Amino acid sequence: MVEPGRPWRRHVHWLWLSLMSFTALMLLIAYQTRWVYPEIQAYFSQSGNLTGQQLATRSRDYLQLGLDQLLQAPDEPETRESAHFQIKLAYSLFDIGLYRREYDCTVPSLAAIDDLLLRLEGAAPVAASHLRESLLAPMRCLTRIEMHQLDRRSAITAEFVDKTRRHQGQVLAGSLVIFALGLGFWLMHELQRRRADRSARESLEWMSRALRDPLTGVGNRSALHDDVVAARGRSLGLLLVDIDYFKQYNDSLGHPAGDRLLRRLVELIEFNHGQKASLYRLGGDEFAVLFECQDDQILFHSCRQLVEALRSATIPHPSHPHADHVTFSVGAARFTAGHARFEAGYAAADAALYEVKAQGRDGWRVANLDTSIVAG
């Protein structure tokens, strides 16, 4: 399986399969060219193989053997008998329908051989000159048949070999086309896959940007709602954080300074709550902190730690009417994740936040869905 994020391995995998297929095809063609073609040629030529020789050649050999025996000892009974057998065997191989139909010298030659056989069956001697005259015409006829058959066989073999080579060329060309088409289809598939991956990444990036605050990089109100829905059934703590007199800070130091303050406070909140909490900017100078919380004591501790951390940071605020540094107002509530309970928990935390503001800011309050507990 190709590992996610390692596209080059997928490319190597496909390329390896393509090369293996092409190599197997080339081996098949090489086998056909190197081994099958010589076997076909040997089958058609049958050179050096007695059983593969054509009948005319074998018949001529038997005639020649019988003639040699008679010329050596024409009067010996055993020699005459052996020669008679050789010539009769040659006659039987010569006397076939194909030779009679296609070669006009066949019938006269068979008659001459038959006449010689009758003489050998008798007791009268056969002169050497008569032997040569009797067998010369049949041997010429057999040589003519032999050469004609060889020419015909060679022509057929050459035609077959030519067709085989053309077939091999067509197989090779077709294989190359198929291979090229396969690579083309794979390339099209890979391009389509890359376009789909790019589109998916762009969609995810767009969705991620849609759930992020562009100034601070933390989640927005939609991200807060989605995270609560994803944690359905779990006990969560919610902190609503508001910067005291943020408008006056912007009016005295300018909006760029206000933006820098927002980013610095995000870092402070994230530092105090770590990776277990999620931070969201709800708008302006209002933030929300969401984390798992099993009891109110954890909520008390989180609020106290956050407010005291900001006090310890002593970030200057020249327009603060009651302090010389930036302060927080924090309202908190604990609820069980779910749509209805989240709305109730958010409303309780928001009410606690406004109570802190009404009593002078720079403090925190923890509320549940029924009562509020002032903790500092």
Side-chain angles (χ1 to χ4, degrees), residues 8 26 52 90 150-151 158 191 193 212-213 230 235 251 283 327 347 350 359 361:
W8 62 269
M26 291 299 100
L150 285 174
D151 292 341
L191 292 175
R193 184 195 62 78
R212 291 286 169 184
D213 173 54
S235 179
D251 290 343
T327 60
D350 191 57
Q359 295 185 7
R361 296 181 170 86

Side-chain angles (χ1 to χ4, degrees), residues 53-116:
Q53 294 176 356
Q54 55 181 305
L55 297 179
T57 303
R58 296 165 65 183
S59 177
R60 182 173 56 79
D61 290 342
Y62 288 137
L63 284 180
Q64 185 65 49
L65 182 59
L67 177 60
D68 292 342
Q69 290 177 348
L70 289 174
L71 291 176
Q72 291 177 3
D75 297 329
E76 292 183 6
E78 293 181 359
T79 302
R80 291 170 65 97
E81 184 178 354
S82 176
H84 181 275
F85 175 76
Q86 298 293 338
I87 295 173
K88 190 172 183 180
L89 185 59
Y91 183 93
S92 63
L93 294 175
F94 196 180
D95 187 17
I96 61 174
L98 176 65
Y99 294 167
R100 287 178 176 272
R101 289 193 304 272
E102 296 192 6
Y103 304 100
D104 55 3
C105 62
T106 301
V107 174
S109 298
L110 289 174
I113 296 174
D114 189 51
D115 180 68
L116 178 61

Side-chain angles (χ1 to χ4, degrees), residues 227-242:
D227 290 347
V228 170
V229 172
R232 185 178 184 84
R234 290 152 58 184
S235 179
L236 301 178
L238 176 66
L239 274 62
L240 296 182
V241 182
D242 192 83

Side-chain angles (χ1 to χ4, degrees), residues 12 14 26 42 69 77 94 146 180 226 299:
V12 172
W14 279 98
M26 291 299 100
Q69 290 177 348
F94 196 180
E146 183 181 3
D226 291 347
L299 210 54

Side-chain angles (χ1 to χ4, degrees), residues 95-368:
D95 187 17
I96 61 174
L98 176 65
Y99 294 167
R100 287 178 176 272
R101 289 193 304 272
E102 296 192 6
Y103 304 100
D104 55 3
C105 62
T106 301
V107 174
S109 298
L110 289 174
I113 296 174
D114 189 51
D115 180 68
L116 178 61
L117 289 173
L118 291 176
R119 289 177 176 272
L120 291 175
E121 291 173 0
V126 180
S129 59
H130 183 73
L131 287 173
R132 291 190 178 91
E133 293 176 0
S134 299
L135 297 181
L136 181 59
M139 292 181 70
R140 287 177 177 173
C141 182
L142 288 170
T143 301
R144 171 188 168 190
I145 294 173
E146 183 181 3
M147 296 304 297
H148 184 264
Q149 291 293 314
L150 285 174
D151 292 341
R152 178 183 294 180
R153 176 174 293 187
S154 298
I156 295 174
T157 303
E159 181 181 0
F160 180 84
V161 170
D162 185 62
K163 289 182 179 179
T164 302
R165 287 175 177 170
R166 287 201 303 271
H167 173 71
Q168 290 174 349
Q170 293 171 356
V171 170
L172 178 59
S175 303
L176 290 174
V177 171
I178 293 173
F179 181 71
L181 288 175
L183 287 179
F185 289 142
W186 170 78
L187 180 60
M188 293 172 59
H189 167 77
E190 186 64 19
L191 292 175
Q192 180 66 26
R193 184 195 62 78
R194 290 186 179 183
R195 283 194 293 268
D197 289 347
R198 184 169 57 254
S199 176
R201 285 196 303 270
E202 290 175 353
S203 297
L204 291 175
E205 291 174 0
W206 179 85
M207 292 174 63
S208 177
R209 289 194 296 270
L211 297 174
R212 291 286 169 184
D213 173 54
L215 176 62
T216 61
V218 300
N220 57 18
R221 190 180 296 272
S222 297
L224 172 61
H225 181 269
D226 291 347
D227 290 347
V228 170
V229 172
R232 185 178 184 84
R234 290 152 58 184
S235 179
L236 301 178
L238 176 66
L239 274 62
L240 296 182
V241 182
D242 192 83
I243 302 173
D244 297 331
Y245 302 108
F246 182 66
K247 181 178 182 302
Q248 289 78 357
Y249 186 93
N250 277 336
D251 290 343
S252 61
L253 299 179
H255 287 280
D259 292 343
R260 287 192 295 271
L261 175 62
L262 291 175
R263 288 192 288 266
R264 184 174 179 183
L265 294 178
V266 165
E267 294 175 359
L268 186 144
I269 296 172
E270 289 180 338
F271 177 79
N272 279 271
H273 284 81
Q275 297 181 350
K276 295 182 179 180
S278 299
L279 181 59
Y280 311 88
R281 185 185 178 195
L282 304 183
D285 60 332
E286 185 178 358
F287 293 88
V289 182
L290 186 70
F291 54 94
E292 287 197 24
C293 183
Q294 301 300 325
D295 56 64
D296 289 339
Q297 293 300 321
I298 297 176
L299 210 54
F300 298 156
H301 176 73
S302 297
C303 292
R304 183 185 304 111
Q305 183 182 18
L306 183 58
V307 172
E308 291 179 354
L310 181 59
R311 289 171 182 171
S312 300
T314 61
I315 303 172
H317 190 328
S319 301
H320 199 298
H322 307 298
D324 58 358
H325 58 274
V326 177
T327 60
F328 273 157
S329 294
V330 180
R334 187 169 62 89
F335 64 96
T336 301
H339 180 70
R341 299 290 292 178
F342 170 62
E343 290 184 351
Y346 186 90
D350 191 57
L353 173 63
Y354 276 96
E355 287 185 20
V356 174
K357 289 184 176 183
Q359 295 185 7
R361 296 181 170 86
D362 190 20
W364 53 272
R365 181 180 294 270
V366 174
N368 57 35

